[in-house]
Amino acid sequence: MKDEITNTKSFFQETSEQLYLYINKISPAGTEWIFHIIVKLALLTAIFFLLDFLFKLIINYTFKFFRNENKFPVLKSVYQSKITNSLAHFVALAIVGSIHESIFAGALKQTTTFIHRSVNLGLVLILAGMLYRSLTGFRSYFTIKQDYYKVMAINAISETVKILGIFIFTIVSICVVFGIKGTTIVGSLGAITAVLVLVFRDTILGFVTGIHVATSKSLKVGDWIGIPKYNIEGNILDISLLTTKISNFDKTVSSIPTYDLLTTEIKNLQVMSESNTRRIKKSIVFNITSFKFLNEEEIEKLKEINLISDYLNKKTSEINREKQALIHNDKIINGRQLTNIGVFRHYAQRYLENNQDIDQTSHLMVRQLEITTQGLPLEIYCFANDSKWEHFEEIQADIFDHLLVASKEFDLQIMQIGLLK
């Protein structure tokens, strides 16, 4: 075996010497080194591609046995991210770098340094590519598992590692190409540390935000969110290191700085959507001048309304008993009285309690808000049992259509511009 290797080396050495002499003959004076480099690179490149093809064939064929993503999700992610190709590149180039001096010993020695540095630079670039593909593989693995919070953490870490990797591999590449020590370059960066911190400010903030969001599990890709600061409401498309993309409901896409997820008020509406309930919180403003006590005739008329007939019978009985003990009980203001706004408020409450589109297990109330110069707001507070936007709006509209018209039965006046004179 050793004899065969020795014979092979001797063959390549004799061939290289012949090439060396031939190139010296045909090349113009002073340009021999250029032709030496071209020939040497061409031969080594051919060897590299041959070895690379063989290694990729072997490695990828091996990975075909582990294509089941349920049994081997890690290997599946490695295969999909093409880390195996980078591994084949690295091994092939390392072999080429280790044998090129043996092959070309005794000839073309002037180009040895150049070839060494080219091979080392290639190894650095392949390692950088392998790192990039490894980060892609990690993200793909957690995507397969649908662990979106960890995907966000991986995104934040990977983006940071990419930027730091570019910085580090650039320094290493410069050191390899020019043959200088890395400490020389790193030492010179001490004077511009403040500038680097300023440049990477958004990167650092984005990294911290990504880790916080992932660990707190407050947001993830696909969530329905609202950002009052930017008047944005939509679904999160992507959370990267520097920007977060949001698909708005008007079919536009908004991008905000990722660190805003940590410093700005964010409304996560996804929980509401997943519970299939959505809050209704809306008011009707009534003209105060239309409020009045109800007389017996008006009460008897309102008793024909099924939802409040029992309530009116009970209340009138209580009020009549109390009035018997009063002096001047014929005067309407003495003692408790029913008002049109109070009876309507009870009617609205009963209407909501009997509405099949309202979630009866959540908070449900009809309440008076603070009186304003425009009138008295009567707020409807409840939850629709369907969170889909179009269905929710239909439920809400049906409720207020009914209450606005029903208020006329109680002689109530809805407040609007131009009503006051």
Side-chain angles (χ1 to χ4, degrees):
M1 184 69 178
K2 291 183 179 179
D3 294 337
E4 292 179 358
I5 295 174
T6 303
N7 293 333
T8 303
K9 287 184 178 179
S10 300
F11 171 76
F12 278 114
Q13 289 172 3
E14 291 175 3
T15 304
S16 63
E17 288 175 0
Q18 295 298 323
L19 284 172
Y20 178 77
L21 296 174
Y22 178 74
I23 291 170
N24 285 340
K25 290 181 181 180
I26 64 172
S27 58
T31 62
E32 297 90 347
W33 63 276
I34 298 176
F35 289 94
H36 292 166
I37 290 175
I38 293 173
V39 172
K40 198 169 186 179
L41 284 178
L43 291 173
L44 292 176
T45 301
I47 296 172
F48 167 76
F49 279 118
L50 178 61
L51 293 174
D52 181 63
F53 174 77
L54 292 175
F55 284 126
K56 281 196 294 187
L57 193 64
I58 295 170
I59 295 173
N60 290 332
Y61 181 77
T62 303
F63 265 83
K64 285 184 179 179
F65 295 104
F66 306 100
R67 295 295 296 276
N68 191 325
E69 63 184 37
N70 295 322
K71 292 184 178 180
F72 310 102
V74 175
L75 296 180
K76 177 69 175 180
S77 300
V78 169
Y79 183 80
Q80 287 182 337
S81 58
K82 297 183 179 180
I83 299 174
T84 53
N85 289 351
S86 295
L87 180 62
H89 299 334
F90 186 85
V91 175
L93 189 59
I95 292 175
V96 169
S98 64
I99 66 173
H100 90 276
E101 284 191 59
S102 300
I103 295 175
F104 296 104
L108 306 175
K109 292 182 179 180
Q110 299 91 330
T111 61
T112 300
T113 301
F114 176 82
I115 296 298
H116 262 302
R117 293 181 179 179
S118 297
V119 170
N120 291 336
L121 178 61
L123 292 174
V124 169
L125 295 178
I126 291 172
L127 282 175
M130 190 180 297
L131 174 64
Y132 177 84
R133 289 176 174 177
S134 298
L135 294 172
T136 304
F138 274 116
R139 188 164 48 208
S140 174
Y141 170 71
F142 288 110
T143 300
I144 291 173
K145 295 182 67 176
Q146 295 185 346
D147 195 340
Y148 296 110
Y149 292 111
K150 289 186 179 179
V151 169
M152 281 189 296
I154 292 295
N155 284 343
I157 295 172
S158 64
E159 292 291 337
T160 304
V161 171
K162 285 177 188 177
I163 292 175
L164 293 177
I166 290 172
F167 178 72
I168 294 172
F169 281 112
T170 299
I171 293 177
V172 173
S173 298
I174 293 173
C175 295
V176 168
V177 171
F178 296 100
I180 58 178
K181 293 182 178 180
T183 54
T184 304
I185 296 177
V186 174
S188 65
L189 294 177
I192 58 172
T193 301
V195 177
L196 289 176
V197 171
L198 182 62
V199 170
F200 291 112
R201 171 182 170 273
D202 289 350
T203 301
I204 296 170
L205 289 174
F207 172 75
V208 173
T209 301
I211 297 299
H212 171 76
V213 170
T215 54
S216 65
K217 297 186 177 181
S218 57
L219 293 171
K220 67 179 184 298
V221 173
D223 277 2
W224 173 11
I225 65 168
I227 308 177
K229 176 181 177 181
Y230 299 113
N231 194 26
I232 291 174
E233 186 173 332
N235 298 104
I236 299 175
L237 287 179
D238 179 56
I239 301 178
S240 64
L241 184 63
L242 298 179
T243 59
T244 295
K245 293 182 180 179
I246 300 168
S247 175
N248 301 311
F249 293 139
D250 60 358
K251 300 301 182 181
T252 60
V253 176
S254 299
S255 296
I256 64 169
T258 295
Y259 59 78
D260 268 359
L261 300 180
L262 191 62
T263 60
T264 305
E265 178 192 1
I266 305 292
K267 289 185 177 181
N268 192 337
L269 306 173
Q270 188 64 26
V271 177
M272 174 195 69
S273 178
E274 291 173 355
S275 66
N276 203 32
T277 58
R278 186 169 180 179
R279 187 183 69 176
I280 297 174
K281 187 175 182 290
K282 196 172 180 180
S283 301
I284 301 174
V285 181
F286 290 100
N287 185 359
I288 297 175
T289 60
S290 66
F291 297 169
K292 65 179 181 178
F293 291 122
L294 294 174
N295 56 39
E296 292 183 4
E297 182 181 349
E298 290 170 330
I299 292 174
E300 290 300 321
K301 183 180 177 181
L302 291 175
K303 283 182 179 180
E304 297 176 1
I305 302 174
N306 293 332
L307 290 177
I308 57 173
S309 59
D310 292 340
Y311 167 78
L312 290 175
N313 288 326
K314 179 181 177 182
K315 285 296 181 182
T316 52
S317 298
E318 292 176 0
I319 291 171
N320 290 334
R321 285 196 300 269
E322 291 178 7
K323 276 195 172 184
Q324 290 176 2
L326 295 175
I327 303 174
H328 305 298
N329 56 17
D330 58 331
K331 198 168 183 62
I332 193 169
I333 198 171
N334 289 331
R336 286 196 301 160
Q337 299 294 334
L338 292 172
T339 63
N340 59 346
I341 184 64
V343 175
F344 176 76
R345 177 167 52 84
H346 184 80
Y347 169 80
Q349 180 82 21
R350 293 288 295 151
Y351 174 75
L352 295 175
E353 290 173 354
N354 286 271
N355 192 324
Q356 61 181 1
D357 293 324
I358 300 301
D359 183 14
Q360 304 299 324
T361 62
S362 301
H363 291 294
L364 190 158
M365 71 177 84
V366 180
R367 60 174 182 165
Q368 293 182 2
L369 301 182
E370 193 72 23
I371 297 175
T372 68
T373 55
Q374 293 182 339
L376 174 68
L378 196 68
E379 184 183 76
I380 308 300
Y381 191 99
C382 60
F383 288 81
N385 58 16
D386 195 332
S387 62
K388 290 183 180 178
W389 193 3
E390 60 274 19
H391 296 167
F392 166 76
E393 292 295 344
E394 184 178 351
I395 293 169
Q396 181 176 240
D398 286 343
I399 290 172
F400 281 88
D401 287 347
H402 180 87
L403 293 179
L404 287 169
V405 176
S407 65
K408 295 180 180 180
E409 296 292 327
F410 298 82
D411 294 329
L412 290 169
Q413 198 173 52
I414 306 298
M415 197 63 194
Q416 58 185 9
I417 296 175
L419 186 61
L420 290 177
K421 295 183 179 179

